[in-house]
Amino acid sequence: MAGALRTVLDGRPYAFFGHSMGAVLAFETARRRAAERATGPLRLFASARRAPSVPRTQTVHLRDDDGLLAEIRRLNGTNQQVLQDEELLALALPTIRADYRALETYRYAPGAPLDCPVTVLAGTRTPRPTLPTWSPNGPASRPPTPTFASSPADTSTSTPG
């Protein structure tokens, strides 16, 4: 991804925003660009995700389909009509499982902190701690850390809090 962005971003100011798994992708893309000595982002916005240096211990990707669906329901961010459409689920579950596998098997490799500030966003009902752990990976925004009155998966009704 960092290579594909080179022609679009070089010489222009930009920021990265990543939600959940996207926060890790944004972080690693910023690190890759720094390693290539490319212009880095002015800021990294990380939403609903603990710091990359804190490993996930869940193994949702190893669950059967019912277990995977139970986790998706627990997060409460997917329309019930989607969860009741067996044909759609048959198409989507392999991709969802692959996303969980990528996230759950990702391992942070220590390196230089980012040169840009990191702003961490979280829902007020975030199920797992996310905020305090980002600062070793880059200077986290201080104070305040914006929070939103919703679960991290529910972006449709998020309001600043």
Side-chain angles (χ1 to χ4, degrees), residues 12-13 31 34 38 44 66-67 71 85 88 106 114-115 119 136-137 146 151 155-156:
R12 298 178 183 182
R31 286 179 73 183
L44 170 67
D66 289 338
E71 177 66 9
D85 186 327
L88 182 58
Y106 164 82
L114 297 178
D115 290 337
T119 297
N137 300 295
S151 68
T155 58
S156 62

Side-chain angles (χ1 to χ4, degrees), residues 82-137:
V82 171
L83 296 174
Q84 293 168 359
D85 186 327
E86 291 187 26
E87 187 176 343
L88 182 58
L89 287 176
L91 293 170
L93 282 180
T95 301
I96 294 168
R97 187 180 310 283
D99 282 354
Y100 271 98
R101 183 181 305 112
L103 196 54
E104 292 172 350
T105 61
Y106 164 82
R107 294 297 173 253
Y108 169 80
L114 297 178
D115 290 337
C116 67
V118 176
T119 297
V120 180
L121 308 167
T124 55
R125 294 177 289 176
T126 299
R128 297 175 188 95
T130 62
L131 304 179
T133 57
W134 271 91
S135 54
N137 300 295

Side-chain angles (χ1 to χ4, degrees), residues 12-92:
R12 298 178 183 182
Y14 66 95
F16 283 147
F17 172 84
H19 179 77
S20 190
M21 182 173 152
V24 175
L25 292 172
F27 171 77
E28 288 294 343
T29 301
R31 286 179 73 183
R32 173 82 48 94
R33 287 188 55 81
E36 295 172 353
R37 304 212 188 285
T39 304
L42 298 176
R43 181 172 296 269
L44 170 67
F45 295 91
S47 170
R49 176 69 171 108
R50 70 189 80 192
S53 60
V54 179
R56 281 182 66 113
T57 57
Q58 296 83 8
T59 55
V60 175
H61 74 281
L62 297 176
R63 296 179 187 176
D64 63 14
D65 288 352
D66 289 338
L68 181 57
L69 285 168
E71 177 66 9
I72 293 168
R73 284 186 181 96
R74 186 189 70 76
L75 292 173
N76 197 29
T78 304
N79 185 294
Q80 289 302 310
Q81 287 178 312
V82 171
L83 296 174
Q84 293 168 359
D85 186 327
E86 291 187 26
E87 187 176 343
L88 182 58
L89 287 176
L91 293 170

